[in-house]
Amino acid sequence: MATTRVFVLVAPPGSGKGTQGVLLARRLDLPHVSTGDELRVSLYGGRLSQPNGAMGRGQLLDDNTVWRILRTRLEQPDCSRGFILDGFPRTFRQVCLFDEWTESALLGAADVLVIYLHLGMDEVRKRNDGRRFCPSCGRDYNVHYYPPRTPEVCDVCATRLARRADCVPEVLERRLAAYEKSTSVVLNTYSQ
Ligand code: ADP
């Protein structure tokens, strides 16, 4: 069995790991798999119900639910050579589920590299504050770093830009707290 190349990106919410993940995926010709995107697709497609709107409130969903959805994606043929994992694992339990899967489904033939993007919390808050997307064509912007030509209007399709509901300061602080708590566990486990 050929080795499956796995890249795990760990970084604070909204720091740009999705952007880096897409660039890396293009460079390595591997799929970029974002748990946030997979969960949103399942949610809007009616295949996921979240207790008390956990995602919109910046809370982590339960490990088994996330893993059930992610595993289905990772078992698609385009992931057989490898993938860039963005947003997973975020808890010790998720590390264990992923390890068990690489041992059984991939017969231990996975080469896992964890990339940790470290940046200060002031910078993380600024990046989240500037984050916008076009609800029509999906293009991303950041008003501080790569603003649209006309403020708050999409360059491509002239639609008014929107903010993700979980980027408002109160929800962001909850996501940052969840990140700090769980990521240290994930990094400690992998550094061992
Ligand atoms: P960010 O990384 O900026 O927090 P994501 O798009 O990766 O944004 O995730 C959005 C939301 O989806 C999270 O706030 C959480 O509710 C849920 N989520 C994503 N990945 C996981 C995960 N591995 N475990 C539990 N919940 C997750």
Side-chain angles (χ1 to χ4, degrees):
M1 188 177 195
T3 304
T4 302
R5 294 197 297 162
V6 177
F7 295 82
V8 175
L9 297 180
V10 180
S15 60
K17 74 178 159 356
T19 306
Q20 298 304 321
V22 169
L23 292 173
L24 196 59
R26 249 186 244 146
R27 174 77 65 94
L28 299 173
D29 192 24
L30 293 174
H32 167 242
V33 180
S34 147
T35 35
D37 289 347
E38 296 298 323
L39 293 172
R40 277 184 287 274
V41 168
S42 293
L43 193 63
Y44 298 134
R47 292 181 299 280
L48 170 70
S49 62
Q50 5 146 39
N52 310 318
M55 275 176 84
R57 293 198 289 124
Q59 289 166 343
L60 293 184
L61 298 190
D62 82 273
D63 296 329
N64 291 334
T65 304
V66 174
W67 177 236
R68 178 174 49 80
I69 290 166
L70 182 63
R71 181 183 172 152
T72 307
R73 174 68 189 95
L74 298 183
E75 292 183 349
Q76 302 288 312
D78 66 321
C79 290
S80 63
R81 287 190 308 115
F83 43 86
I84 318 293
L85 207 44
D86 165 356
F88 188 95
R90 292 196 194 193
T91 65
F92 180 67
R93 168 89 181 125
Q94 293 182 9
V95 174
C96 297
L97 288 166
F98 188 62
D99 274 359
E100 279 163 26
W101 179 77
T102 55
E103 283 303 315
S104 60
L106 303 181
L107 305 175
D111 188 4
V112 181
L113 181 72
V114 179
I115 301 173
Y116 173 43
L117 306 177
H118 180 69
L119 63 160
M121 285 300 146
D122 286 348
E123 180 62 24
V124 172
R125 288 190 179 91
K126 185 172 175 191
R127 289 187 189 189
N128 276 279
D129 176 65
R131 209 171 181 190
R132 301 285 186 281
F133 71 98
C134 173
S136 179
C137 72
R139 177 150 174 197
D140 289 319
Y141 296 87
N142 191 300
V143 300
H144 304 306
Y145 302 101
Y146 39 95
R149 284 191 293 272
T150 307
E152 305 294 339
V153 174
C154 180
D155 291 346
V156 182
C157 64
T159 303
R160 188 147 219 43
L161 300 182
R163 295 185 77 159
R164 257 173 54 169
D166 59 1
C167 276
V168 299
E170 187 194 323
V171 179
L172 176 66
E173 291 309 316
R174 223 176 277 137
R175 286 163 66 215
L176 291 179
Y179 169 80
E180 294 214 316
K181 186 167 156 224
S182 57
T183 304
S184 51
V185 177
V186 171
L187 290 176
N188 285 342
T189 311
Y190 276 122
S191 58
Q192 282 160 25

mmCIF file of all heavy atoms in Angstrom, residues 11-14 17 34-37 39-40 54-55 58-63 66 86-90 94 128 131 164 166 175, ligand 1:
data_model
loop_
_atom_site.group_PDB
_atom_site.id
_atom_site.type_symbol
_atom_site.label_atom_id
_atom_site.label_comp_id
_atom_site.label_asym_id
_atom_site.label_seq_id
_atom_site.Cartn_x
_atom_site.Cartn_y
_atom_site.Cartn_z
ATOM 1 N N ALA A 11 -4.037 26.080 13.944
ATOM 2 C CA ALA A 11 -3.881 27.538 14.049
ATOM 3 C C ALA A 11 -5.134 28.121 14.668
ATOM 4 O O ALA A 11 -6.210 27.506 14.597
ATOM 5 C CB ALA A 11 -3.658 28.146 12.672
ATOM 6 N N PRO A 12 -5.033 29.313 15.270
ATOM 7 C CA PRO A 12 -6.218 29.921 15.888
ATOM 8 C C PRO A 12 -7.327 30.176 14.863
ATOM 9 O O PRO A 12 -7.039 30.331 13.674
ATOM 10 C CB PRO A 12 -5.702 31.261 16.429
ATOM 11 C CG PRO A 12 -4.225 31.131 16.469
ATOM 12 C CD PRO A 12 -3.834 30.149 15.416
ATOM 13 N N PRO A 13 -8.595 30.239 15.322
ATOM 14 C CA PRO A 13 -9.715 30.496 14.421
ATOM 15 C C PRO A 13 -9.498 31.783 13.623
ATOM 16 O O PRO A 13 -9.070 32.795 14.181
ATOM 17 C CB PRO A 13 -10.905 30.690 15.358
ATOM 18 C CG PRO A 13 -10.501 30.118 16.659
ATOM 19 C CD PRO A 13 -9.007 30.141 16.716
ATOM 20 N N GLY A 14 -9.787 31.708 12.347
ATOM 21 C CA GLY A 14 -9.747 32.911 11.508
ATOM 22 C C GLY A 14 -8.356 33.458 11.258
ATOM 23 O O GLY A 14 -8.205 34.588 10.806
ATOM 24 N N LYS A 17 -5.643 29.736 8.248
ATOM 25 C CA LYS A 17 -5.209 28.367 7.922
ATOM 26 C C LYS A 17 -5.980 27.814 6.719
ATOM 27 O O LYS A 17 -5.433 27.018 5.961
ATOM 28 C CB LYS A 17 -5.231 27.435 9.128
ATOM 29 C CG LYS A 17 -6.576 26.985 9.608
ATOM 30 C CD LYS A 17 -6.373 26.047 10.775
ATOM 31 C CE LYS A 17 -7.575 25.896 11.673
ATOM 32 N NZ LYS A 17 -8.766 26.668 11.438
ATOM 33 N N SER A 34 -11.648 20.772 5.009
ATOM 34 C CA SER A 34 -11.890 21.637 6.163
ATOM 35 C C SER A 34 -13.111 21.116 6.921
ATOM 36 O O SER A 34 -14.185 20.978 6.334
ATOM 37 C CB SER A 34 -12.138 23.074 5.676
ATOM 38 O OG SER A 34 -13.048 23.746 6.503
ATOM 39 N N THR A 35 -12.938 20.799 8.207
ATOM 40 C CA THR A 35 -14.093 20.283 8.962
ATOM 41 C C THR A 35 -15.182 21.343 9.048
ATOM 42 O O THR A 35 -16.361 21.021 8.957
ATOM 43 C CB THR A 35 -13.758 19.844 10.412
ATOM 44 O OG1 THR A 35 -12.786 20.691 10.937
ATOM 45 C CG2 THR A 35 -13.384 18.421 10.491
ATOM 46 N N GLY A 36 -14.802 22.627 9.212
ATOM 47 C CA GLY A 36 -15.800 23.695 9.282
ATOM 48 C C GLY A 36 -16.662 23.678 8.017
ATOM 49 O O GLY A 36 -17.893 23.710 8.090
ATOM 50 N N ASP A 37 -16.019 23.587 6.844
ATOM 51 C CA ASP A 37 -16.771 23.566 5.576
ATOM 52 C C ASP A 37 -17.645 22.316 5.487
ATOM 53 O O ASP A 37 -18.808 22.391 5.082
ATOM 54 C CB ASP A 37 -15.813 23.593 4.375
ATOM 55 C CG ASP A 37 -15.130 24.944 4.220
ATOM 56 O OD1 ASP A 37 -15.573 25.913 4.880
ATOM 57 O OD2 ASP A 37 -14.153 25.025 3.455
ATOM 58 N N LEU A 39 -18.894 20.570 7.888
ATOM 59 C CA LEU A 39 -20.023 20.680 8.832
ATOM 60 C C LEU A 39 -21.079 21.643 8.307
ATOM 61 O O LEU A 39 -22.273 21.374 8.407
ATOM 62 C CB LEU A 39 -19.528 21.135 10.211
ATOM 63 C CG LEU A 39 -18.634 20.137 10.958
ATOM 64 C CD1 LEU A 39 -18.053 20.768 12.223
ATOM 65 C CD2 LEU A 39 -19.405 18.880 11.324
ATOM 66 N N ARG A 40 -20.632 22.773 7.726
ATOM 67 C CA ARG A 40 -21.600 23.744 7.199
ATOM 68 C C ARG A 40 -22.401 23.124 6.045
ATOM 69 O O ARG A 40 -23.615 23.306 5.952
ATOM 70 C CB ARG A 40 -20.886 25.035 6.754
ATOM 71 C CG ARG A 40 -20.638 25.996 7.928
ATOM 72 C CD ARG A 40 -20.022 27.304 7.467
ATOM 73 N NE ARG A 40 -18.623 27.124 7.098
ATOM 74 C CZ ARG A 40 -17.604 27.184 7.964
ATOM 75 N NH1 ARG A 40 -17.831 27.446 9.228
ATOM 76 N NH2 ARG A 40 -16.365 27.016 7.560
ATOM 77 N N ALA A 54 -24.824 25.146 18.243
ATOM 78 C CA ALA A 54 -23.458 25.207 18.793
ATOM 79 C C ALA A 54 -22.477 25.924 17.873
ATOM 80 O O ALA A 54 -21.644 26.713 18.346
ATOM 81 C CB ALA A 54 -22.965 23.794 19.090
ATOM 82 N N MET A 55 -22.571 25.681 16.573
ATOM 83 C CA MET A 55 -21.588 26.287 15.662
ATOM 84 C C MET A 55 -21.682 27.803 15.653
ATOM 85 O O MET A 55 -20.673 28.486 15.745
ATOM 86 C CB MET A 55 -21.772 25.757 14.239
ATOM 87 C CG MET A 55 -21.055 24.454 14.008
ATOM 88 S SD MET A 55 -21.394 23.843 12.370
ATOM 89 C CE MET A 55 -20.181 24.733 11.400
ATOM 90 N N GLY A 58 -20.059 29.370 18.521
ATOM 91 C CA GLY A 58 -18.616 29.220 18.681
ATOM 92 C C GLY A 58 -18.195 28.045 19.540
ATOM 93 O O GLY A 58 -17.065 27.988 20.024
ATOM 94 N N GLN A 59 -19.119 27.086 19.740
ATOM 95 C CA GLN A 59 -18.749 25.918 20.560
ATOM 96 C C GLN A 59 -18.410 24.728 19.671
ATOM 97 O O GLN A 59 -18.947 24.602 18.577
ATOM 98 C CB GLN A 59 -19.919 25.544 21.470
ATOM 99 C CG GLN A 59 -20.118 26.570 22.565
ATOM 100 C CD GLN A 59 -21.448 26.413 23.258
ATOM 101 O OE1 GLN A 59 -22.356 25.769 22.746
ATOM 102 N NE2 GLN A 59 -21.564 27.031 24.409
ATOM 103 N N LEU A 60 -17.553 23.859 20.178
ATOM 104 C CA LEU A 60 -17.196 22.678 19.406
ATOM 105 C C LEU A 60 -18.365 21.700 19.392
ATOM 106 O O LEU A 60 -19.076 21.562 20.382
ATOM 107 C CB LEU A 60 -15.978 21.980 20.020
ATOM 108 C CG LEU A 60 -14.650 22.729 19.977
ATOM 109 C CD1 LEU A 60 -13.529 21.860 20.524
ATOM 110 C CD2 LEU A 60 -14.308 23.205 18.570
ATOM 111 N N LEU A 61 -18.539 21.037 18.260
ATOM 112 C CA LEU A 61 -19.551 19.986 18.185
ATOM 113 C C LEU A 61 -18.976 18.715 18.801
ATOM 114 O O LEU A 61 -17.768 18.598 18.989
ATOM 115 C CB LEU A 61 -19.935 19.716 16.727
ATOM 116 C CG LEU A 61 -20.566 20.875 15.974
ATOM 117 C CD1 LEU A 61 -21.124 20.404 14.647
ATOM 118 C CD2 LEU A 61 -21.693 21.501 16.777
ATOM 119 N N ASP A 62 -19.856 17.746 19.078
ATOM 120 C CA ASP A 62 -19.336 16.567 19.766
ATOM 121 C C ASP A 62 -18.463 15.727 18.819
ATOM 122 O O ASP A 62 -18.661 15.688 17.612
ATOM 123 C CB ASP A 62 -20.468 15.754 20.424
ATOM 124 C CG ASP A 62 -21.159 14.856 19.444
ATOM 125 O OD1 ASP A 62 -22.101 15.337 18.801
ATOM 126 O OD2 ASP A 62 -20.732 13.709 19.307
ATOM 127 N N ASP A 63 -17.472 15.083 19.430
ATOM 128 C CA ASP A 63 -16.417 14.406 18.675
ATOM 129 C C ASP A 63 -16.958 13.355 17.708
ATOM 130 O O ASP A 63 -16.506 13.268 16.561
ATOM 131 C CB ASP A 63 -15.442 13.732 19.653
ATOM 132 C CG ASP A 63 -14.728 14.749 20.518
ATOM 133 O OD1 ASP A 63 -14.492 15.881 20.037
ATOM 134 O OD2 ASP A 63 -14.417 14.429 21.681
ATOM 135 N N VAL A 66 -18.638 14.957 14.562
ATOM 136 C CA VAL A 66 -17.655 15.543 13.647
ATOM 137 C C VAL A 66 -16.911 14.433 12.912
ATOM 138 O O VAL A 66 -16.738 14.464 11.692
ATOM 139 C CB VAL A 66 -16.663 16.436 14.427
ATOM 140 C CG1 VAL A 66 -15.560 16.937 13.513
ATOM 141 C CG2 VAL A 66 -17.384 17.603 15.064
ATOM 142 N N ASP A 86 -7.802 20.584 7.784
ATOM 143 C CA ASP A 86 -7.912 21.938 8.345
ATOM 144 C C ASP A 86 -9.068 21.940 9.359
ATOM 145 O O ASP A 86 -10.220 21.789 8.978
ATOM 146 C CB ASP A 86 -8.166 22.876 7.147
ATOM 147 C CG ASP A 86 -8.667 24.256 7.516
ATOM 148 O OD1 ASP A 86 -8.909 24.531 8.691
ATOM 149 O OD2 ASP A 86 -8.833 25.058 6.586
ATOM 150 N N GLY A 87 -8.739 22.070 10.642
ATOM 151 C CA GLY A 87 -9.791 22.135 11.671
ATOM 152 C C GLY A 87 -10.007 20.840 12.427
ATOM 153 O O GLY A 87 -10.963 20.720 13.191
ATOM 154 N N PHE A 88 -9.159 19.881 12.235
ATOM 155 C CA PHE A 88 -9.290 18.588 12.895
ATOM 156 C C PHE A 88 -7.900 17.968 13.004
ATOM 157 O O PHE A 88 -7.127 18.096 12.056
ATOM 158 C CB PHE A 88 -10.199 17.668 12.071
ATOM 159 C CG PHE A 88 -10.564 16.375 12.756
ATOM 160 C CD1 PHE A 88 -11.744 16.256 13.475
ATOM 161 C CD2 PHE A 88 -9.711 15.275 12.681
ATOM 162 C CE1 PHE A 88 -12.075 15.064 14.104
ATOM 163 C CE2 PHE A 88 -10.035 14.089 13.313
ATOM 164 C CZ PHE A 88 -11.220 13.980 14.026
ATOM 165 N N PRO A 89 -7.548 17.273 14.083
ATOM 166 C CA PRO A 89 -8.301 17.093 15.321
ATOM 167 C C PRO A 89 -8.179 18.308 16.248
ATOM 168 O O PRO A 89 -7.174 18.994 16.242
ATOM 169 C CB PRO A 89 -7.635 15.864 15.947
ATOM 170 C CG PRO A 89 -6.235 15.840 15.401
ATOM 171 C CD PRO A 89 -6.279 16.510 14.071
ATOM 172 N N ARG A 90 -9.238 18.531 17.038
ATOM 173 C CA ARG A 90 -9.233 19.658 17.977
ATOM 174 C C ARG A 90 -9.324 19.215 19.421
ATOM 175 O O ARG A 90 -9.305 20.061 20.309
ATOM 176 C CB ARG A 90 -10.409 20.595 17.700
ATOM 177 C CG ARG A 90 -10.281 21.328 16.400
ATOM 178 C CD ARG A 90 -11.231 22.514 16.358
ATOM 179 N NE ARG A 90 -11.302 22.980 14.989
ATOM 180 C CZ ARG A 90 -11.838 24.137 14.628
ATOM 181 N NH1 ARG A 90 -12.359 24.932 15.526
ATOM 182 N NH2 ARG A 90 -11.867 24.475 13.370
ATOM 183 N N GLN A 94 -10.517 13.326 19.476
ATOM 184 C CA GLN A 94 -10.426 13.372 18.010
ATOM 185 C C GLN A 94 -9.071 12.855 17.535
ATOM 186 O O GLN A 94 -8.980 12.180 16.504
ATOM 187 C CB GLN A 94 -10.680 14.794 17.496
ATOM 188 C CG GLN A 94 -12.119 15.255 17.721
ATOM 189 C CD GLN A 94 -12.407 16.649 17.177
ATOM 190 O OE1 GLN A 94 -11.597 17.246 16.477
ATOM 191 N NE2 GLN A 94 -13.580 17.176 17.514
ATOM 192 N N ASN A 128 -9.843 38.498 12.306
ATOM 193 C CA ASN A 128 -11.264 38.134 12.374
ATOM 194 C C ASN A 128 -12.165 39.342 12.183
ATOM 195 O O ASN A 128 -13.210 39.250 11.549
ATOM 196 C CB ASN A 128 -11.570 37.449 13.710
ATOM 197 C CG ASN A 128 -11.238 35.969 13.658
ATOM 198 O OD1 ASN A 128 -12.001 35.163 13.150
ATOM 199 N ND2 ASN A 128 -10.055 35.619 14.144
ATOM 200 N N ARG A 131 -12.525 40.107 8.477
ATOM 201 C CA ARG A 131 -12.975 39.031 7.603
ATOM 202 C C ARG A 131 -14.356 39.301 6.986
ATOM 203 O O ARG A 131 -15.309 39.617 7.698
ATOM 204 C CB ARG A 131 -13.060 37.779 8.469
ATOM 205 C CG ARG A 131 -12.848 36.488 7.771
ATOM 206 C CD ARG A 131 -12.757 35.411 8.831
ATOM 207 N NE ARG A 131 -12.532 34.118 8.227
ATOM 208 C CZ ARG A 131 -12.607 32.972 8.892
ATOM 209 N NH1 ARG A 131 -12.890 32.961 10.175
ATOM 210 N NH2 ARG A 131 -12.382 31.843 8.277
ATOM 211 N N ARG A 164 -19.212 36.435 8.738
ATOM 212 C CA ARG A 164 -19.673 35.168 9.309
ATOM 213 C C ARG A 164 -20.233 35.442 10.697
ATOM 214 O O ARG A 164 -19.648 36.212 11.464
ATOM 215 C CB ARG A 164 -18.489 34.206 9.422
ATOM 216 C CG ARG A 164 -18.497 33.168 8.343
ATOM 217 C CD ARG A 164 -17.274 32.322 8.343
ATOM 218 N NE ARG A 164 -16.969 31.681 9.619
ATOM 219 C CZ ARG A 164 -16.056 30.724 9.763
ATOM 220 N NH1 ARG A 164 -15.380 30.318 8.713
ATOM 221 N NH2 ARG A 164 -15.812 30.196 10.936
ATOM 222 N N ASP A 166 -20.160 33.786 13.297
ATOM 223 C CA ASP A 166 -19.298 33.444 14.429
ATOM 224 C C ASP A 166 -18.044 34.315 14.501
ATOM 225 O O ASP A 166 -17.116 34.033 15.239
ATOM 226 C CB ASP A 166 -18.963 31.944 14.445
ATOM 227 C CG ASP A 166 -18.249 31.464 13.192
ATOM 228 O OD1 ASP A 166 -17.984 32.293 12.306
ATOM 229 O OD2 ASP A 166 -17.955 30.261 13.119
ATOM 230 N N ARG A 175 -14.766 31.128 20.772
ATOM 231 C CA ARG A 175 -14.002 30.218 19.896
ATOM 232 C C ARG A 175 -12.521 30.244 20.268
ATOM 233 O O ARG A 175 -11.847 29.211 20.244
ATOM 234 C CB ARG A 175 -14.174 30.625 18.430
ATOM 235 C CG ARG A 175 -15.545 30.248 17.898
ATOM 236 C CD ARG A 175 -15.870 31.004 16.629
ATOM 237 N NE ARG A 175 -15.026 30.661 15.517
ATOM 238 C CZ ARG A 175 -14.633 31.524 14.579
ATOM 239 N NH1 ARG A 175 -15.007 32.782 14.633
ATOM 240 N NH2 ARG A 175 -13.887 31.121 13.591
HETATM 241 P P1 ADP B 1 -12.488 28.270 12.781
HETATM 242 O O1 ADP B 1 -11.333 27.342 12.572
HETATM 243 O O2 ADP B 1 -12.209 29.616 12.250
HETATM 244 O O3 ADP B 1 -13.065 28.181 14.164
HETATM 245 P P2 ADP B 1 -14.122 26.500 11.258
HETATM 246 O O4 ADP B 1 -14.815 26.867 9.991
HETATM 247 O O5 ADP B 1 -12.980 25.542 11.203
HETATM 248 O O6 ADP B 1 -13.705 27.867 11.885
HETATM 249 O O7 ADP B 1 -15.178 25.895 12.305
HETATM 250 C C1 ADP B 1 -16.405 26.516 12.520
HETATM 251 C C2 ADP B 1 -17.155 25.807 13.647
HETATM 252 O O8 ADP B 1 -17.374 24.422 13.298
HETATM 253 C C3 ADP B 1 -16.416 25.740 14.982
HETATM 254 O O9 ADP B 1 -16.596 26.917 15.748
HETATM 255 C C4 ADP B 1 -17.099 24.507 15.633
HETATM 256 O O10 ADP B 1 -18.388 24.831 16.097
HETATM 257 C C5 ADP B 1 -17.257 23.569 14.448
HETATM 258 N N1 ADP B 1 -16.067 22.692 14.269
HETATM 259 C C6 ADP B 1 -15.151 22.733 13.268
HETATM 260 N N2 ADP B 1 -14.214 21.781 13.412
HETATM 261 C C7 ADP B 1 -14.542 21.106 14.542
HETATM 262 C C8 ADP B 1 -13.969 20.010 15.250
HETATM 263 N N3 ADP B 1 -12.840 19.402 14.821
HETATM 264 N N4 ADP B 1 -14.561 19.588 16.385
HETATM 265 C C9 ADP B 1 -15.698 20.160 16.836
HETATM 266 N N5 ADP B 1 -16.302 21.205 16.233
HETATM 267 C C10 ADP B 1 -15.741 21.688 15.088
#
